[in-house]
């Protein structure tokens, strides 16, 4: 292990620069251990804050609903929750709250990380991450071909949804209660389902989604 990374670990890996230079994605990936949750943004290491109950409830719901849909609809691909590091560039490696990889992408994944962006990404905001999720991380996801980016706000419920339009991620469904995914065929949610205080049953939501897909 490099001296740079050893020093990063000894300081909790929160320093922006070590020994006068930023660290690389390779050093970051070498430093990561199971259970360590962090992002490397512009060569700087940002540890994930402890998740509060509202954040966890909302991400848990969407994780279970989407996983159930992928299985029932036989869409294929794999959903990862904050466990797979995504190397986007030499100094950008993220661990998104949720990331969906197609079957084709899965076949190209390494044993320790993905060297490309997921098709679909979900990040849930917290006070400490909001600026990064809608700023530096947004720009990196946009640059590296993420096709759809959902930014959930567990506290204010000001959820935002972005989809690929050429080189950009453009916002959609601003005033819509039904948010239809543009990258996962047939999957959608109601905005009212995304309230941590009123999380519905996954089974009921899944039945509604599947019924809708059969009608079309």
């Amino acid at each position: 292990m490099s001296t740079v990374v050893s020093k990063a670990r000894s300081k909790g890996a929160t320093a922006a620069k070590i020994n006068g230079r930023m660290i690389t994605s390779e050093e970051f990936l070498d430093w990561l251990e199971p259970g360590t949750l962090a992002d490397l943004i512009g060569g700087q290491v940002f540890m994930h804050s402890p998740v509060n109950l509202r954040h966890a409830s909302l991400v848990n719901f969407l994780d279970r609903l989407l996983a159930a849909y992928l299985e029932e609809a036989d869409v294929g691909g794999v959903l990862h929750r904050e466990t797979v590091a995504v190397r986007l560039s030499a100094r950008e490696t993220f661990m998104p709250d949720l990331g969906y990889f197609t079957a084709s992408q899965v076949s190209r994944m390494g044993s320790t990380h993905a060297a490309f962006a997921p098709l679909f990404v979900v990040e849930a905001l917290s006070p400490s991450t909001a600026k990064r999720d809608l700023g530096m991380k947004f720009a990196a996801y946009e640059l590296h071909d993420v096709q759809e980016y959902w930014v959930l706000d567990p506290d204010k419920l000001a959820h935002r949804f972005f989809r690929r339009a050429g080189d950009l991620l453009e916002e959609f469904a601003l005033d819509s209660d039904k948010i239809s995914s543009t990258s996962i065929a047939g999957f959608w949610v109601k905005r009212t389902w995304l309230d941590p205080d009123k999380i519905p049953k996954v089974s009921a939501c899944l039945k509604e989604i599947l019924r809708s897909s059969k009608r079309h």
Side-chain angles (χ1 to χ4, degrees):
M1 182 180 297
S2 70
T3 301
V4 171
V5 178
S6 296
K7 289 185 177 181
R9 177 174 293 171
S10 69
K11 295 181 180 180
T14 57
K17 294 184 179 180
I18 304 167
N19 284 351
R21 71 180 183 89
M22 298 177 289
I23 69 171
T24 66
S25 285
E26 282 61 41
E27 290 171 318
F28 177 74
L29 289 166
D30 184 52
W31 167 80
L32 274 182
E33 293 183 342
T36 300
L37 302 177
D39 293 317
L40 182 71
I41 307 175
Q44 302 179 12
V45 178
F46 294 89
M47 301 300 294
H48 290 200
S49 301
V51 175
N52 63 42
L53 292 178
R54 294 178 64 81
H55 182 292
S57 178
L58 184 53
V59 175
N60 283 344
F61 166 74
L62 193 56
D63 180 24
R64 291 184 294 120
L65 178 60
L66 186 49
Y69 174 78
L70 294 175
E71 181 177 352
E72 289 294 325
D74 196 22
V75 174
V78 173
L79 184 69
H80 285 290
R81 180 177 175 190
E82 208 176 29
T83 56
V84 172
V86 175
R87 185 194 183 282
L88 299 177
S89 70
R91 298 195 191 277
E92 309 280 351
T93 296
F94 303 159
M95 300 180 74
D97 285 327
L98 287 177
Y100 168 72
F101 295 87
T102 66
S104 175
Q105 287 180 315
V106 172
S107 69
R108 296 186 287 113
M109 288 179 68
S111 59
T112 60
H113 68 280
F116 44 81
L119 189 75
F120 172 93
V121 172
V122 176
E123 297 281 14
L125 301 179
S126 67
S128 64
T129 68
K131 288 185 178 180
R132 296 195 295 271
D133 290 336
L134 288 166
M136 294 180 289
K137 290 179 72 173
F138 181 100
Y141 284 139
E142 186 174 62
L143 180 64
H144 293 280
D145 295 325
V146 165
Q147 296 299 299
E148 193 166 1
Y149 184 32
W150 290 16
V151 183
L152 305 183
D153 187 341
D155 295 321
K156 298 179 181 178
L157 306 185
H159 311 308
R160 302 181 68 181
F161 308 91
F162 302 87
R163 61 188 174 193
R164 177 66 51 179
D167 293 334
L168 303 176
L169 286 171
E170 293 187 349
E171 194 163 5
F172 72 102
L174 280 77
D175 300 314
S176 176
D177 180 52
K178 182 178 179 180
I179 297 89
S180 297
S181 173
T182 57
S183 58
I184 302 176
F187 182 73
W188 56 268
V189 300
K190 289 183 177 179
R191 193 180 294 271
T192 52
W193 295 351
L194 303 177
D195 183 342
D197 294 325
K198 302 174 183 178
I199 293 293
K201 289 186 177 181
V202 168
S203 58
C205 296
L206 179 61
K207 287 180 181 178
E208 190 169 346
I209 295 170
L210 293 175
R211 281 198 304 267
S212 175
S213 64
K214 288 179 180 179
R215 290 196 297 268
H216 295 88

